[in-house]
Amino acid sequence: MPRQLGELEDAVMTRVWQWNRPVTVREVLEDLQRERSIAYTTVMTVMDNLHQKGWVRREVDGRAYRYTAVSTRAAYSAALMNEAWSQSDNPAAALVAFFGMMSPEQREALQDAVRMVSPGPLETPADDTESGSGR
């Protein structure tokens, strides 16, 4: 299971996820510099670490690498939630507490998600004697 990304790793991955295309260290650096003072080598090291950890893949493009996310932000978030939930000694109580923290909008999104993954109402196969097949 993944460990939570550090603050700078998350800032880099947020851009990779949002842009949803291969990115260079320079592009990420220039965007990060709008918010903070940061060196090229720092961003390069973080992106190399993310590559080593399996968060991004990279391809050579001239003298630089282009980095692409291996999975989505949603998959990352889901893995973190699953990891936290599996650590609980009482998973049902953890879910109840989690649901209690949700906003109405989050609860609605949860209901939509459950509908997407649920097969629908349980249907029982017709009893052969009731269907008149007599088998």
Side-chain angles (χ1 to χ4, degrees):
M1 280 293 140
R3 103 182 145 70
Q4 188 168 356
L5 294 170
E7 187 248 332
L8 189 51
E9 290 174 325
D10 186 69
V12 169
M13 285 305 301
T14 294
R15 283 150 178 87
V16 175
W17 282 319
Q18 285 176 344
W19 295 339
N20 196 28
R21 60 172 172 76
V23 301
T24 64
V25 171
R26 176 75 51 205
E27 290 173 304
V28 174
L29 170 72
E30 289 172 0
D31 201 62
L32 284 170
Q33 285 179 330
R34 295 177 189 179
E35 300 170 2
R36 63 177 93 190
S37 176
I38 190 166
Y40 180 92
T41 54
T42 301
V43 177
M44 183 177 64
T45 299
V46 169
M47 294 186 81
D48 184 60
N49 289 343
L50 290 167
H51 175 257
Q52 297 300 323
K53 293 176 181 181
W55 288 106
V56 293
R57 69 178 57 91
R58 66 184 180 195
E59 295 178 8
V60 176
D61 182 14
R63 293 179 31 193
Y65 285 113
R66 288 207 173 265
Y67 294 84
T68 308
V70 170
S71 67
T72 64
R73 162 95 65 200
Y76 165 70
S77 297
L80 289 178
M81 288 188 288
N82 187 55
E83 177 69 15
W85 185 46
S86 70
Q87 298 296 320
S88 174
D89 59 349
N90 187 339
L95 282 175
V96 169
F98 179 64
F99 296 157
M101 294 178 202
M102 295 176 130
S103 69
E105 295 80 17
Q106 290 170 320
R107 280 193 213 103
E108 187 176 330
L110 175 64
Q111 289 172 337
D112 292 343
V114 168
R115 279 192 290 274
M116 289 173 62
V117 298
S118 293
L122 292 178
E123 296 180 22
T124 56
D127 183 2
D128 286 340
T129 57
E130 291 179 13
S131 66
S133 68
R135 282 188 246 166

